[in-house]
Amino acid sequence: MTEPAEPPESSQPASQPASSESAAPSEAAPRRERLRELQLHARRAAHRKQRQVGRISRTSMRYAVFMCGAGCVALFSMVFAYIAELALNWNARLTTATPWLAFVMLPFGLAVLRWLTIRLAPQARGSGIPQVIAAVTLPPAGPAQTVLVSFRQSMWKVVLTAGALLAGASVGREGPSVQVGAAAMLAWGQWCQRKLRFRIGFHPNALIAAGAAGGLAAAFNTPLAGVVFAIEELGRGTAVRWDRLVLSGVLTAGFLSLAVLGNNPYFSVKVPMLVLHDAWGPVMLCAVVNGVMGGLFAKLLIRGVPGLVPTGWRDWTSAHPVWVAFFCGLVVAAIGWATAGATFGTGYEQASGLINGEPHGTLWFGLAKFAATVLSYFAGIPGGIFTPALAIGAGIGQNVAHFMSGMAEPRVLALVSMAAFLAAATQAPITASVIVMEMTRTQDLTIYLLAASLLASFLSRQFNPHPFYHHMGHAFRREAMAIGRKSVSG
């Protein structure tokens, strides 16, 4: 008889280790999942931090490069100003010692300068501001844009403008400083993008606008006026008007000029002007006169020689620009001889004397300077109209004060007329009023300057609907596009 089999061991104890072994993997899986999530989160946080640091470094690099470029523009403007002053001083010495020498220097000098401009730098003729305005409306980094703000042509513009001042032409250096500044800034930005491994990606229009406005700010020692110029003139219809990089570059150029040259106004007013409430009548009269004269001034410059001579002579003037420059120089020399040399050069000394109460010996200095500036522009040589326009306005203000004998402070009319004529000639009233206020440090007269500039600009528009700089900019734009198409097809 067999013994009964022992009951099998309870399955409960046997199954206990199995359940614990199966539980371990089940608990380890979430732990590993959490660990992977933490590692992924840490990697993402490190990547975000690295990307944030990269963005900060990229922005800092953009500002640093822009500031360096603006500093170069300021230095270019100061060197240009020094060269221009040397040329003006040499002309004054020569024409004072030998007045008849102007009849040799101006006709032959303007003819040679016109020939050199045609041969070496055709896009450098005239002021330089229309070329910059045209450049910011062209396709970025294209051949047409590069033609208008070429660094090579800008260097020729410095040399040729200095030659015009040496000869005695009625031109300024501030307009050329705008084109030179734009070309220098664009060349600097393009060089940095080619050479630096850290890609910063500047927009060409931002470089051009910052360099142009920075050149103006450094030329007049007026940082605020440079910013207003960038917004009112260069910012029309473009996306650069509120670009922080552009504005920071303009201010850098202006403040560097202030640091090097000192906080000295462009026009020093030795005795503060007395601001009277009863001056509104004469001020508004100055605005009306300068508005009409400034509108005619801009209209004459736009029409040029072919628009003024008889129909039968137009083909000849277009075919013989060097001879046109010769005859223009001859008439400018005659005007300068009649005014004892007052119309030669920029007109800075005469304008400075008038706003300091030193009446010019020639009562009709303003009209004579008007004619000399128009003829110098007709010669087709490099040279601006900014400072000559200020001198014309100061002369017109002297005429108005002369016929209003009861005016207590005639210097106010000379100062207000400077802003009014510039506003009428350029149809940029905010820039004109701010630049005159800042270059003379006459903040007390800001309301007079602004009111006269706005009225003069409105009246000028009735004679010439399109602003002078922008009208000429369209012509330069067409020329540059034609050159760009030839270069692409060639």
Side-chain angles (χ1 to χ4, degrees), residues 276-288 400 404 407 413 448:
L276 299 175
H277 293 292
D278 60 356
W280 276 108
V283 166
M284 291 296 100
L285 177 61
C286 279
V288 172
V400 175
M404 299 188 69
M407 182 67 187
L413 298 188
Y448 289 108

Side-chain angles (χ1 to χ4, degrees), residues 373-385:
T373 304
V374 170
L375 288 167
S376 297
Y377 188 87
F378 284 171
I381 60 174
I385 63 167

Side-chain angles (χ1 to χ4, degrees), residues 111-128:
V112 171
L113 290 171
R114 178 58 173 154
W115 183 83
L116 290 173
T117 302
I118 294 171
R119 297 289 181 179
L120 302 174
Q123 303 303 320
R125 68 185 186 275
S127 167

Side-chain angles (χ1 to χ4, degrees), residues 174-188:
E174 290 75 21
S177 296
V178 170
Q179 188 177 11
V180 172
M185 193 72 170
L186 181 62
W188 166 257

Side-chain angles (χ1 to χ4, degrees), residues 105-116 321-323 325-327 329 379 381:
M105 295 171 58
L106 271 165
F108 290 98
L110 296 194
V112 171
L113 290 171
R114 178 58 173 154
W115 183 83
L116 290 173
V322 175
W323 279 108
F326 179 89
F327 289 120
I381 60 174

Side-chain angles (χ1 to χ4, degrees), residues 44-57:
R44 288 177 178 173
H47 181 66
R48 282 197 300 269
K49 186 175 181 180
Q50 183 180 7
R51 194 166 52 182
Q52 184 178 7
V53 171
R55 280 199 301 267
I56 295 173
S57 301

Side-chain angles (χ1 to χ4, degrees), residues 1 59 115 121 134 196 210 262 285 301 304 317 336 365 394 427 448:
M1 180 174 177
T59 302
W115 183 83
L196 293 181
L285 177 61
L301 296 185
T317 57
F365 163 74
Q427 293 186 21
Y448 289 108

